[in-house]
Amino acid sequence: MIINMRIEQVHNMLERKLIAKEILMKLPDWFGIPSSTTEYVENSGSLPMWTAYQGSEAVGFLSLKLHNEYSAEIYVMGVNPDYHRQGIGKMLFQCVYEWCQNNKIEYLQVKTLDDSSNDPSYAKTRDFYYSMGFRPLECFKTLWDEWNPCLVMIQKVVI
């Protein structure tokens, strides 16, 4: 049950890294490659981040990568598994979507594992992004590596 849930933008670089590391380490089904997880944590320090708090505990976050004046990417997102399926991802996404609207970002993208991988955890991830309005654009079979085909999903931000 969600009590005292709030979303805040985090501005401190070290705090962003700490939040990303703490949450991603609890998600080995999604972030099980140590070098990739380290890269997500390091890069999250320099990216805009929104964090969901249950009381004083960070339970989810979303880092946004700005590509240019027209487009941005959900670079990494994670929710503590104890809080899955409680609407936290949707709340984080809605904050970021509104931020994109307010900053005249026209397109939002996310990269995730393509369905050709048959990974059940990423099937849930794709379902989440479909429910948020994303649509598949293209699969890059070797962008990450041949065992991890990358699906780029996009959506038009209504300004």
Side-chain angles (χ1 to χ4, degrees):
M1 179 178 191
I2 298 177
I3 301 170
N4 298 324
M5 181 63 59
R6 70 185 190 289
I7 308 290
E8 292 182 8
Q9 190 169 0
V10 178
H11 299 284
N12 180 281
M13 180 192 318
L14 294 176
E15 188 178 350
R16 289 190 295 237
K17 287 182 179 182
L18 182 63
I19 290 166
K21 182 176 183 179
E22 181 179 300
I23 292 173
L24 295 182
M25 294 308 228
K26 295 177 181 176
L27 298 166
D29 290 346
W30 289 269
F31 300 96
I33 301 171
S35 60
S36 294
T37 303
T38 298
E39 185 176 330
Y40 282 124
V41 169
E42 286 302 312
N43 289 341
S44 289
S46 62
L47 298 174
M49 175 188 278
W50 288 260
T51 300
Y53 292 93
Q54 172 70 32
S56 61
E57 179 187 6
V59 297
F61 78 98
L62 189 157
S63 293
L64 188 69
K65 184 176 187 179
L66 303 172
H67 289 293
N68 54 55
E69 64 184 294
Y70 305 105
S71 68
E73 173 182 353
I74 295 175
Y75 176 70
V76 63
M77 180 178 182
V79 174
N80 180 323
D82 294 340
Y83 293 88
H84 279 189
R85 313 239 3 111
Q86 295 186 38
I88 294 168
K90 183 176 183 178
M91 287 188 288
L92 287 164
F93 171 77
Q94 287 174 333
C95 286
V96 167
Y97 188 89
E98 288 175 17
W99 186 91
C100 288
Q101 287 178 312
N102 293 337
N103 287 277
K104 310 264 188 286
I105 301 294
E106 295 180 34
Y107 298 96
L108 192 53
Q109 73 164 303
V110 65
K111 294 181 182 95
T112 191
L113 195 59
D114 185 65
D115 62 357
S116 64
S117 70
N118 295 317
D119 182 298
S121 296
Y122 278 94
K124 293 176 188 174
T125 299
R126 286 187 303 278
D127 287 346
F128 169 77
Y129 286 121
Y130 276 113
S131 75
M132 295 296 102
F134 285 88
R135 296 299 176 253
L137 178 67
E138 186 172 359
C139 177
F140 295 95
K141 295 192 182 294
T142 58
L143 180 66
W144 293 328
D145 64 47
E146 63 186 85
W147 301 280
N148 291 301
C150 174
L151 176 65
V152 176
M153 300 180 78
I154 60 165
Q155 76 167 251
K156 174 90 169 111
V157 177
V158 178
I159 300 173

